[in-house]
Amino acid sequence: MNRNRTSAFTLIELLVVIAIIGILAGILIPAALRGVEMARRSSCANNLKGIGTALLNYAPEHRGNLPAGDSLTDIAKELHDGGYLTDLGLWHCSSDKKDDSGTAAIAAAIDEFDSSRHCSYLYVSGYNLLATGEIPAQAPLAMDESNRSDGGMNLPSLEKDDNHGDSVRNVLYLDGHVALLKGDDAVNHVLDNLKEPGKLECVD
């Protein structure tokens, strides 16, 4: 007499399947997260290009001067009020989760804009496009900030809570192009090619 057998996983087979699923998850999840971060870096670069366009449109109408101020709060409001940069989302990098001691976010309105909460970038103030002795393709104009930035011409080390971690920084240059710098170049060498650093100041 034939008896019908019911197929079922044995305990060993079940454990093997679980192990395979765990291995695949360990491979795929980090890859997916890296893909998300790469997309965010690209979006951040586009933000900086948009900011660069606004700044370079501002200069010809102000005798070659780029906006100056003690903080990016003042500069963002000047660009907004002049109609040069009205999209407040461009000031926020989607990888930026923390600003100073608070949560980074996009400002709802220009009257609420505060660079300590709504800006992911550091700005180099003091350029005049008609009189600068800098090489535009080597002179940084704006970049991913460090939460430990303290103004002046000092770039403190990046940390894991900064926009793209502790070793990656997008930099906007005076000619309008954006470059992704990694490792020591992301901090130590950003300002090295400036010819007249004494005329400039980093503000955030």
Side-chain angles (χ1 to χ4, degrees):
M1 178 182 293
N2 293 328
R3 294 183 178 178
N4 293 328
R5 290 186 175 182
T6 303
S7 61
F9 281 114
T10 66
L11 178 59
I12 293 176
E13 290 171 332
L14 182 60
L15 292 175
V16 169
V17 170
I18 292 173
I20 292 172
I21 292 172
I23 291 170
L24 290 174
I27 294 171
L28 296 176
I29 291 175
L33 292 176
R34 283 195 297 272
V36 169
E37 173 56 18
M38 291 297 290
R40 288 175 173 172
R41 290 178 189 177
S42 178
S43 175
C44 173
N46 287 333
N47 285 355
L48 284 168
K49 287 178 183 177
I51 292 170
T53 297
L55 292 168
L56 295 177
N57 285 337
Y58 174 100
E61 299 179 10
H62 294 82
R63 298 181 179 178
N65 290 306
L66 291 171
D70 294 330
S71 76
L72 270 172
T73 301
D74 299 330
I75 292 167
K77 289 181 177 179
E78 183 174 359
L79 290 172
H80 185 278
D81 292 346
Y84 300 101
L85 180 55
T86 57
D87 182 356
L88 299 180
L90 292 182
W91 294 105
H92 176 70
C93 171
S94 55
S95 284
D96 190 9
K97 303 297 187 296
K98 177 184 176 183
D99 214 339
D100 288 337
S101 59
T103 301
I106 298 173
I110 190 60
D111 291 341
E112 299 176 12
F113 187 92
D114 183 337
S115 62
S116 67
R117 293 182 294 122
H118 304 125
C119 185
S120 305
Y121 303 111
L122 184 72
Y123 173 68
V124 181
S125 177
Y127 288 111
N128 180 297
L129 297 186
L130 301 179
T132 185
E134 306 296 343
I135 300 172
Q138 297 179 355
L141 179 55
M143 66 195 80
D144 287 307
E145 69 176 355
S146 164
N147 285 317
R148 298 195 301 120
S149 296
D150 56 5
M153 291 303 286
N154 176 41
L155 293 182
S157 298
L158 295 168
E159 300 177 327
K160 63 181 179 64
D161 290 332
D162 289 321
N163 295 4
H164 306 293
D166 57 8
S167 61
V168 177
R169 174 178 257 151
N170 274 316
V171 180
L172 166 70
Y173 291 88
L174 200 56
D175 66 349
H177 89 277
V178 175
L180 182 72
L181 303 185
K182 296 182 179 181
D184 287 343
D185 288 342
V187 178
N188 297 334
H189 305 306
V190 174
L191 304 174
D192 281 359
N193 292 318
L194 287 171
K195 298 179 180 301
E196 301 174 309
K199 295 183 178 181
L200 305 171
E201 182 180 8
C202 292
V203 297
D204 60 5

Short mmCIF file of all heavy atoms in Angstrom, two decimals, residues 125-192:
data_model
loop_
_atom_site.label_atom_id
_atom_site.label_comp_id
_atom_site.label_asym_id
_atom_site.label_seq_id
_atom_site.Cartn_x
_atom_site.Cartn_y
_atom_site.Cartn_z
N SER A 125 33.37 84.12 2.67
CA SER A 125 32.97 85.50 2.42
C SER A 125 34.19 86.38 2.12
O SER A 125 35.28 86.16 2.67
CB SER A 125 32.24 86.05 3.65
OG SER A 125 31.90 87.40 3.50
N GLY A 126 34.00 87.38 1.25
CA GLY A 126 35.05 88.36 1.02
C GLY A 126 35.53 88.46 -0.42
O GLY A 126 36.37 89.30 -0.73
N TYR A 127 34.99 87.64 -1.31
CA TYR A 127 35.43 87.68 -2.71
C TYR A 127 34.85 88.89 -3.46
O TYR A 127 33.71 89.28 -3.24
CB TYR A 127 34.98 86.43 -3.46
CG TYR A 127 35.70 85.16 -3.11
CD1 TYR A 127 35.03 84.14 -2.43
CD2 TYR A 127 37.03 84.95 -3.48
CE1 TYR A 127 35.68 82.94 -2.13
CE2 TYR A 127 37.68 83.76 -3.19
CZ TYR A 127 36.99 82.77 -2.51
OH TYR A 127 37.63 81.58 -2.23
N ASN A 128 35.65 89.43 -4.38
CA ASN A 128 35.17 90.35 -5.41
C ASN A 128 35.63 89.78 -6.74
O ASN A 128 36.84 89.64 -6.97
CB ASN A 128 35.72 91.75 -5.21
CG ASN A 128 35.23 92.72 -6.27
OD1 ASN A 128 35.50 92.58 -7.46
ND2 ASN A 128 34.48 93.74 -5.84
N LEU A 129 34.69 89.44 -7.60
CA LEU A 129 35.04 88.76 -8.85
C LEU A 129 35.87 89.63 -9.79
O LEU A 129 36.59 89.11 -10.63
CB LEU A 129 33.77 88.29 -9.56
CG LEU A 129 32.92 87.26 -8.82
CD1 LEU A 129 31.78 86.79 -9.72
CD2 LEU A 129 33.75 86.08 -8.36
N LEU A 130 35.78 90.94 -9.63
CA LEU A 130 36.52 91.84 -10.52
C LEU A 130 37.93 92.11 -10.02
O LEU A 130 38.78 92.55 -10.80
CB LEU A 130 35.76 93.17 -10.65
CG LEU A 130 34.34 93.09 -11.21
CD1 LEU A 130 33.71 94.48 -11.26
CD2 LEU A 130 34.33 92.44 -12.59
N ALA A 131 38.17 91.86 -8.74
CA ALA A 131 39.47 92.23 -8.17
C ALA A 131 40.22 91.07 -7.53
O ALA A 131 41.36 91.25 -7.10
CB ALA A 131 39.26 93.34 -7.14
N THR A 132 39.61 89.91 -7.45
CA THR A 132 40.27 88.81 -6.75
C THR A 132 41.53 88.33 -7.48
O THR A 132 41.59 88.31 -8.71
CB THR A 132 39.30 87.62 -6.57
OG1 THR A 132 39.95 86.61 -5.78
CG2 THR A 132 38.89 87.02 -7.91
N GLY A 133 42.51 87.95 -6.69
CA GLY A 133 43.72 87.37 -7.25
C GLY A 133 43.68 85.86 -7.24
O GLY A 133 44.67 85.20 -7.60
N GLU A 134 42.54 85.31 -6.85
CA GLU A 134 42.41 83.86 -6.75
C GLU A 134 42.17 83.23 -8.12
O GLU A 134 41.63 83.86 -9.03
CB GLU A 134 41.27 83.48 -5.81
CG GLU A 134 41.34 84.10 -4.43
CD GLU A 134 42.56 83.64 -3.62
OE1 GLU A 134 43.17 82.61 -3.99
OE2 GLU A 134 42.88 84.29 -2.62
N ILE A 135 42.53 81.96 -8.24
CA ILE A 135 42.20 81.17 -9.43
C ILE A 135 40.81 80.58 -9.20
O ILE A 135 40.64 79.78 -8.28
CB ILE A 135 43.23 80.04 -9.63
CG1 ILE A 135 44.63 80.63 -9.82
CG2 ILE A 135 42.83 79.16 -10.82
CD1 ILE A 135 45.74 79.60 -9.84
N PRO A 136 39.80 81.00 -9.98
CA PRO A 136 38.42 80.60 -9.69
C PRO A 136 38.20 79.09 -9.54
O PRO A 136 37.44 78.66 -8.68
CB PRO A 136 37.64 81.17 -10.88
CG PRO A 136 38.44 82.35 -11.30
CD PRO A 136 39.86 81.95 -11.10
N ALA A 137 38.88 78.30 -10.34
CA ALA A 137 38.68 76.85 -10.29
C ALA A 137 39.31 76.22 -9.06
O ALA A 137 39.07 75.03 -8.78
CB ALA A 137 39.23 76.19 -11.55
N GLN A 138 40.11 76.98 -8.30
CA GLN A 138 40.77 76.45 -7.11
C GLN A 138 40.35 77.15 -5.82
O GLN A 138 40.79 76.77 -4.73
CB GLN A 138 42.30 76.58 -7.26
CG GLN A 138 42.87 75.78 -8.41
CD GLN A 138 44.37 75.93 -8.55
OE1 GLN A 138 45.00 76.72 -7.84
NE2 GLN A 138 44.95 75.17 -9.44
N ALA A 139 39.51 78.17 -5.94
CA ALA A 139 39.12 78.97 -4.78
C ALA A 139 37.75 78.52 -4.27
O ALA A 139 36.75 78.71 -4.96
CB ALA A 139 39.08 80.44 -5.14
N PRO A 140 37.67 77.93 -3.08
CA PRO A 140 36.38 77.45 -2.56
C PRO A 140 35.45 78.61 -2.19
O PRO A 140 35.89 79.60 -1.62
CB PRO A 140 36.76 76.64 -1.32
CG PRO A 140 38.08 77.21 -0.90
CD PRO A 140 38.76 77.66 -2.15
N LEU A 141 34.17 78.46 -2.54
CA LEU A 141 33.17 79.49 -2.25
C LEU A 141 32.18 79.02 -1.19
O LEU A 141 31.71 79.80 -0.37
CB LEU A 141 32.45 79.87 -3.55
CG LEU A 141 31.34 80.91 -3.48
CD1 LEU A 141 31.85 82.21 -2.84
CD2 LEU A 141 30.80 81.20 -4.87
N ALA A 142 31.84 77.74 -1.21
CA ALA A 142 30.95 77.16 -0.22
C ALA A 142 31.21 75.66 -0.15
O ALA A 142 31.76 75.08 -1.10
CB ALA A 142 29.48 77.43 -0.56
N MET A 143 30.82 75.05 0.96
CA MET A 143 31.10 73.62 1.14
C MET A 143 30.25 73.04 2.25
O MET A 143 29.62 73.78 3.03
CB MET A 143 32.58 73.42 1.48
CG MET A 143 33.00 74.00 2.81
SD MET A 143 34.80 74.15 3.00
CE MET A 143 35.12 75.66 2.07
N ASP A 144 30.22 71.71 2.34
CA ASP A 144 29.56 71.06 3.47
C ASP A 144 30.21 71.56 4.76
O ASP A 144 31.44 71.58 4.88
CB ASP A 144 29.73 69.53 3.39
CG ASP A 144 28.87 68.90 2.32
OD1 ASP A 144 27.66 69.15 2.33
OD2 ASP A 144 29.40 68.17 1.47
N GLU A 145 29.37 71.93 5.72
CA GLU A 145 29.90 72.45 6.97
C GLU A 145 30.30 71.34 7.92
O GLU A 145 29.95 70.18 7.74
CB GLU A 145 28.86 73.33 7.65
CG GLU A 145 27.67 72.55 8.18
CD GLU A 145 26.68 73.39 8.94
OE1 GLU A 145 26.93 74.58 9.15
OE2 GLU A 145 25.63 72.84 9.32
N SER A 146 31.05 71.72 8.93
CA SER A 146 31.31 70.86 10.08
C SER A 146 30.49 71.41 11.23
O SER A 146 30.36 72.63 11.38
CB SER A 146 32.80 70.88 10.45
OG SER A 146 32.99 70.37 11.76
N ASN A 147 29.92 70.54 12.04
CA ASN A 147 29.14 71.02 13.19
C ASN A 147 30.03 71.71 14.22
O ASN A 147 29.53 72.35 15.13
CB ASN A 147 28.40 69.85 13.84
CG ASN A 147 27.21 69.41 13.02
OD1 ASN A 147 26.45 70.24 12.52
ND2 ASN A 147 27.02 68.11 12.87
N ARG A 148 31.36 71.60 14.05
CA ARG A 148 32.28 72.27 14.97
C ARG A 148 32.87 73.53 14.38
O ARG A 148 33.82 74.09 14.91
CB ARG A 148 33.40 71.30 15.38
CG ARG A 148 32.90 70.07 16.10
CD ARG A 148 34.01 69.32 16.81
NE ARG A 148 35.05 68.89 15.89
CZ ARG A 148 36.32 69.27 15.98
NH1 ARG A 148 36.70 70.10 16.91
NH2 ARG A 148 37.22 68.82 15.13
N SER A 149 32.32 74.00 13.24
CA SER A 149 32.85 75.21 12.60
C SER A 149 32.78 76.39 13.56
O SER A 149 31.79 76.56 14.27
CB SER A 149 32.06 75.53 11.33
OG SER A 149 32.22 74.51 10.38
N ASP A 150 33.84 77.18 13.57
CA ASP A 150 33.87 78.32 14.49
C ASP A 150 34.26 79.61 13.79
O ASP A 150 34.75 80.54 14.42
CB ASP A 150 34.81 78.04 15.66
CG ASP A 150 36.22 77.68 15.21
OD1 ASP A 150 36.48 77.74 13.99
OD2 ASP A 150 37.05 77.35 16.07
N GLY A 151 34.06 79.67 12.46
CA GLY A 151 34.35 80.90 11.74
C GLY A 151 35.84 81.05 11.45
O GLY A 151 36.63 80.14 11.64
N GLY A 152 36.21 82.24 10.99
CA GLY A 152 37.60 82.47 10.62
C GLY A 152 37.98 81.62 9.41
O GLY A 152 37.13 81.17 8.65
N MET A 153 39.27 81.38 9.23
CA MET A 153 39.72 80.53 8.14
C MET A 153 40.19 79.19 8.70
O MET A 153 41.27 78.68 8.40
CB MET A 153 40.83 81.23 7.35
CG MET A 153 40.34 82.42 6.56
SD MET A 153 39.00 82.02 5.40
CE MET A 153 39.91 81.16 4.13
N ASN A 154 39.37 78.64 9.58
CA ASN A 154 39.68 77.37 10.22
C ASN A 154 38.65 76.33 9.82
O ASN A 154 37.45 76.57 9.89
CB ASN A 154 39.67 77.56 11.75
CG ASN A 154 39.90 76.24 12.47
OD1 ASN A 154 40.73 75.46 12.06
ND2 ASN A 154 39.16 76.02 13.53
N LEU A 155 39.12 75.18 9.34
CA LEU A 155 38.21 74.08 9.01
C LEU A 155 38.47 72.94 9.97
O LEU A 155 39.40 72.15 9.78
CB LEU A 155 38.43 73.61 7.56
CG LEU A 155 38.06 74.59 6.45
CD1 LEU A 155 38.30 73.93 5.10
CD2 LEU A 155 36.62 75.03 6.57
N PRO A 156 37.68 72.83 11.03
CA PRO A 156 37.88 71.72 11.97
C PRO A 156 37.56 70.39 11.31
O PRO A 156 36.90 70.34 10.28
CB PRO A 156 36.87 72.04 13.09
CG PRO A 156 35.82 72.87 12.44
CD PRO A 156 36.54 73.67 11.40
N SER A 157 38.05 69.33 11.90
CA SER A 157 37.82 68.00 11.34
C SER A 157 36.34 67.69 11.23
O SER A 157 35.53 68.10 12.06
CB SER A 157 38.49 66.94 12.24
OG SER A 157 39.88 67.14 12.28
N LEU A 158 36.00 66.97 10.17
CA LEU A 158 34.63 66.49 10.01
C LEU A 158 34.38 65.36 11.00
O LEU A 158 35.31 64.68 11.42
CB LEU A 158 34.41 65.99 8.58
CG LEU A 158 34.50 67.05 7.47
CD1 LEU A 158 34.55 66.37 6.10
CD2 LEU A 158 33.31 67.99 7.54
N GLU A 159 33.10 65.16 11.35
CA GLU A 159 32.72 64.10 12.27
C GLU A 159 31.64 63.23 11.63
O GLU A 159 31.07 63.59 10.60
CB GLU A 159 32.21 64.71 13.58
CG GLU A 159 33.27 65.57 14.28
CD GLU A 159 32.73 66.24 15.54
OE1 GLU A 159 31.53 66.58 15.58
OE2 GLU A 159 33.52 66.41 16.48
N LYS A 160 31.37 62.10 12.24
CA LYS A 160 30.40 61.15 11.65
C LYS A 160 29.01 61.76 11.54
O LYS A 160 28.22 61.33 10.70
CB LYS A 160 30.36 59.87 12.48
CG LYS A 160 29.87 60.04 13.91
CD LYS A 160 29.89 58.72 14.65
CE LYS A 160 29.42 58.88 16.09
NZ LYS A 160 28.01 59.31 16.18
N ASP A 161 28.67 62.75 12.37
CA ASP A 161 27.35 63.37 12.32
C ASP A 161 27.26 64.50 11.29
O ASP A 161 26.19 65.08 11.10
CB ASP A 161 26.96 63.92 13.70
CG ASP A 161 26.68 62.82 14.71
OD1 ASP A 161 26.25 61.73 14.27
OD2 ASP A 161 26.87 63.05 15.91
N ASP A 162 28.38 64.83 10.64
CA ASP A 162 28.34 65.87 9.61
C ASP A 162 27.69 65.34 8.34
O ASP A 162 27.43 64.13 8.22
CB ASP A 162 29.75 66.39 9.34
CG ASP A 162 30.27 67.23 10.49
OD1 ASP A 162 29.48 67.99 11.07
OD2 ASP A 162 31.46 67.13 10.82
N ASN A 163 27.42 66.22 7.39
CA ASN A 163 26.59 65.88 6.22
C ASN A 163 26.85 64.51 5.64
O ASN A 163 25.94 63.69 5.49
CB ASN A 163 26.78 66.93 5.12
CG ASN A 163 26.27 68.30 5.54
OD1 ASN A 163 25.85 68.51 6.66
ND2 ASN A 163 26.31 69.24 4.62
N HIS A 164 28.10 64.23 5.28
CA HIS A 164 28.41 62.96 4.62
C HIS A 164 29.44 62.15 5.40
O HIS A 164 30.20 61.38 4.83
CB HIS A 164 28.90 63.23 3.19
CG HIS A 164 27.96 64.06 2.39
ND1 HIS A 164 26.72 63.62 2.00
CD2 HIS A 164 28.05 65.34 1.94
CE1 HIS A 164 26.09 64.58 1.33
NE2 HIS A 164 26.87 65.63 1.29
N GLY A 165 29.47 62.35 6.69
CA GLY A 165 30.40 61.61 7.53
C GLY A 165 31.71 62.35 7.75
O GLY A 165 31.81 63.55 7.49
N ASP A 166 32.70 61.61 8.21
CA ASP A 166 33.94 62.26 8.67
C ASP A 166 35.04 62.34 7.62
O ASP A 166 36.16 62.74 7.94
CB ASP A 166 34.46 61.55 9.92
CG ASP A 166 34.72 60.05 9.68
OD1 ASP A 166 34.63 59.61 8.52
OD2 ASP A 166 34.99 59.34 10.66
N SER A 167 34.75 61.98 6.37
CA SER A 167 35.84 62.01 5.38
C SER A 167 35.38 62.40 3.98
O SER A 167 36.10 62.17 3.01
CB SER A 167 36.53 60.64 5.32
OG SER A 167 35.61 59.64 4.92
N VAL A 168 34.19 63.00 3.86
CA VAL A 168 33.67 63.37 2.55
C VAL A 168 33.08 64.78 2.61
O VAL A 168 32.37 65.12 3.56
CB VAL A 168 32.58 62.39 2.07
CG1 VAL A 168 31.98 62.84 0.74
CG2 VAL A 168 33.15 60.98 1.93
N ARG A 169 33.38 65.60 1.60
CA ARG A 169 32.85 66.97 1.59
C ARG A 169 32.67 67.44 0.15
O ARG A 169 33.56 67.32 -0.68
CB ARG A 169 33.82 67.89 2.33
CG ARG A 169 33.48 69.36 2.26
CD ARG A 169 34.48 70.19 3.06
NE ARG A 169 33.92 70.61 4.34
CZ ARG A 169 34.63 70.84 5.44
NH1 ARG A 169 35.93 70.67 5.44
NH2 ARG A 169 34.04 71.23 6.54
N ASN A 170 31.47 67.96 -0.15
CA ASN A 170 31.23 68.63 -1.44
C ASN A 170 31.71 70.08 -1.32
O ASN A 170 31.42 70.75 -0.32
CB ASN A 170 29.74 68.63 -1.78
CG ASN A 170 29.31 67.35 -2.50
OD1 ASN A 170 30.00 66.88 -3.39
ND2 ASN A 170 28.17 66.80 -2.11
N VAL A 171 32.42 70.55 -2.35
CA VAL A 171 32.94 71.92 -2.33
C VAL A 171 32.55 72.64 -3.61
O VAL A 171 32.76 72.12 -4.72
CB VAL A 171 34.48 71.93 -2.19
CG1 VAL A 171 35.01 73.37 -2.18
CG2 VAL A 171 34.92 71.20 -0.92
N LEU A 172 31.95 73.82 -3.46
CA LEU A 172 31.63 74.71 -4.58
C LEU A 172 32.77 75.68 -4.76
O LEU A 172 33.22 76.31 -3.80
CB LEU A 172 30.33 75.48 -4.27
CG LEU A 172 30.01 76.70 -5.15
CD1 LEU A 172 29.64 76.25 -6.56
CD2 LEU A 172 28.89 77.52 -4.52
N TYR A 173 33.25 75.81 -5.99
CA TYR A 173 34.36 76.71 -6.29
C TYR A 173 33.87 77.99 -6.97
O TYR A 173 32.74 78.06 -7.45
CB TYR A 173 35.42 76.00 -7.13
CG TYR A 173 36.15 74.93 -6.35
CD1 TYR A 173 35.65 73.63 -6.30
CD2 TYR A 173 37.30 75.23 -5.64
CE1 TYR A 173 36.30 72.65 -5.56
CE2 TYR A 173 37.96 74.26 -4.90
CZ TYR A 173 37.45 72.97 -4.86
OH TYR A 173 38.09 72.00 -4.11
N LEU A 174 34.75 78.96 -7.02
CA LEU A 174 34.41 80.30 -7.49
C LEU A 174 34.00 80.33 -8.96
O LEU A 174 33.31 81.25 -9.39
CB LEU A 174 35.59 81.24 -7.24
CG LEU A 174 35.34 82.75 -7.22
CD1 LEU A 174 34.28 83.11 -6.19
CD2 LEU A 174 36.64 83.49 -6.91
N ASP A 175 34.38 79.32 -9.72
CA ASP A 175 33.97 79.28 -11.13
C ASP A 175 32.63 78.56 -11.31
O ASP A 175 32.15 78.41 -12.43
CB ASP A 175 35.04 78.60 -11.98
CG ASP A 175 35.23 77.13 -11.64
OD1 ASP A 175 34.69 76.66 -10.60
OD2 ASP A 175 35.91 76.42 -12.41
N GLY A 176 32.02 78.11 -10.20
CA GLY A 176 30.70 77.49 -10.26
C GLY A 176 30.69 75.98 -10.28
O GLY A 176 29.63 75.37 -10.15
N HIS A 177 31.85 75.33 -10.39
CA HIS A 177 31.84 73.87 -10.40
C HIS A 177 31.89 73.33 -8.98
O HIS A 177 32.34 74.01 -8.05
CB HIS A 177 32.99 73.32 -11.26
CG HIS A 177 34.28 73.10 -10.53
ND1 HIS A 177 35.20 74.11 -10.30
CD2 HIS A 177 34.82 71.97 -9.98
CE1 HIS A 177 36.24 73.61 -9.64
NE2 HIS A 177 36.03 72.33 -9.43
N VAL A 178 31.42 72.10 -8.81
CA VAL A 178 31.39 71.43 -7.50
C VAL A 178 32.21 70.16 -7.59
O VAL A 178 32.09 69.40 -8.56
CB VAL A 178 29.95 71.10 -7.07
CG1 VAL A 178 29.94 70.30 -5.77
CG2 VAL A 178 29.13 72.39 -6.90
N ALA A 179 33.05 69.92 -6.59
CA ALA A 179 33.86 68.72 -6.54
C ALA A 179 33.62 67.99 -5.23
O ALA A 179 33.39 68.62 -4.19
CB ALA A 179 35.34 69.06 -6.69
N LEU A 180 33.67 66.66 -5.27
CA LEU A 180 33.55 65.83 -4.08
C LEU A 180 34.96 65.48 -3.61
O LEU A 180 35.71 64.83 -4.33
CB LEU A 180 32.75 64.55 -4.39
CG LEU A 180 32.52 63.62 -3.20
CD1 LEU A 180 31.51 64.23 -2.23
CD2 LEU A 180 32.03 62.26 -3.69
N LEU A 181 35.31 65.92 -2.42
CA LEU A 181 36.63 65.64 -1.87
C LEU A 181 36.53 64.57 -0.79
O LEU A 181 35.55 64.52 -0.04
CB LEU A 181 37.24 66.91 -1.26
CG LEU A 181 37.37 68.12 -2.19
CD1 LEU A 181 38.09 69.25 -1.48
CD2 LEU A 181 38.10 67.75 -3.48
N LYS A 182 37.54 63.72 -0.71
CA LYS A 182 37.53 62.63 0.27
C LYS A 182 38.84 62.61 1.06
O LYS A 182 39.86 63.14 0.61
CB LYS A 182 37.35 61.29 -0.45
CG LYS A 182 36.01 61.15 -1.16
CD LYS A 182 35.88 59.77 -1.80
CE LYS A 182 34.54 59.61 -2.49
NZ LYS A 182 34.38 58.26 -3.10
N GLY A 183 38.79 61.99 2.22
CA GLY A 183 39.98 61.84 3.04
C GLY A 183 40.53 63.17 3.51
O GLY A 183 39.79 64.10 3.82
N ASP A 184 41.86 63.28 3.54
CA ASP A 184 42.51 64.52 4.00
C ASP A 184 42.12 65.71 3.13
O ASP A 184 42.06 66.84 3.62
CB ASP A 184 44.03 64.36 4.00
CG ASP A 184 44.52 63.47 5.14
OD1 ASP A 184 43.74 63.26 6.08
OD2 ASP A 184 45.66 63.00 5.07
N ASP A 185 41.89 65.48 1.84
CA ASP A 185 41.52 66.58 0.95
C ASP A 185 40.23 67.26 1.38
O ASP A 185 40.00 68.43 1.10
CB ASP A 185 41.36 66.07 -0.49
CG ASP A 185 42.69 65.72 -1.13
OD1 ASP A 185 43.72 66.18 -0.61
OD2 ASP A 185 42.69 65.00 -2.14
N ALA A 186 39.35 66.52 2.07
CA ALA A 186 38.05 67.05 2.47
C ALA A 186 38.17 68.12 3.54
O ALA A 186 37.27 68.92 3.72
CB ALA A 186 37.14 65.92 2.96
N VAL A 187 39.28 68.14 4.25
CA VAL A 187 39.46 69.12 5.31
C VAL A 187 40.77 69.90 5.14
O VAL A 187 40.78 71.10 4.95
CB VAL A 187 39.44 68.46 6.70
CG1 VAL A 187 39.68 69.50 7.79
CG2 VAL A 187 38.12 67.76 6.93
N ASN A 188 41.87 69.18 5.18
CA ASN A 188 43.17 69.84 5.29
C ASN A 188 43.57 70.65 4.06
O ASN A 188 44.34 71.60 4.17
CB ASN A 188 44.26 68.79 5.57
CG ASN A 188 44.03 68.09 6.89
OD1 ASN A 188 43.42 68.64 7.78
ND2 ASN A 188 44.52 66.87 7.00
N HIS A 189 43.08 70.26 2.89
CA HIS A 189 43.59 70.89 1.67
C HIS A 189 42.57 71.77 0.95
O HIS A 189 42.88 72.29 -0.12
CB HIS A 189 44.12 69.80 0.73
CG HIS A 189 45.15 68.93 1.37
ND1 HIS A 189 46.29 69.45 1.96
CD2 HIS A 189 45.23 67.58 1.52
CE1 HIS A 189 47.03 68.46 2.44
NE2 HIS A 189 46.41 67.33 2.19
N VAL A 190 41.38 71.95 1.50
CA VAL A 190 40.35 72.74 0.82
C VAL A 190 40.82 74.17 0.58
O VAL A 190 40.58 74.76 -0.47
CB VAL A 190 39.04 72.74 1.62
CG1 VAL A 190 38.03 73.67 0.98
CG2 VAL A 190 38.46 71.33 1.71
N LEU A 191 41.50 74.74 1.56
CA LEU A 191 41.89 76.15 1.50
C LEU A 191 43.34 76.35 1.07
O LEU A 191 43.81 77.50 0.98
CB LEU A 191 41.68 76.81 2.87
CG LEU A 191 40.26 76.72 3.45
CD1 LEU A 191 40.23 77.29 4.86
CD2 LEU A 191 39.26 77.43 2.57
N ASP A 192 44.05 75.27 0.76
CA ASP A 192 45.49 75.38 0.52
C ASP A 192 45.86 76.20 -0.71
O ASP A 192 46.95 76.78 -0.76
CB ASP A 192 46.10 73.98 0.37
CG ASP A 192 46.31 73.30 1.71
OD1 ASP A 192 46.00 73.93 2.74
OD2 ASP A 192 46.77 72.14 1.73
#
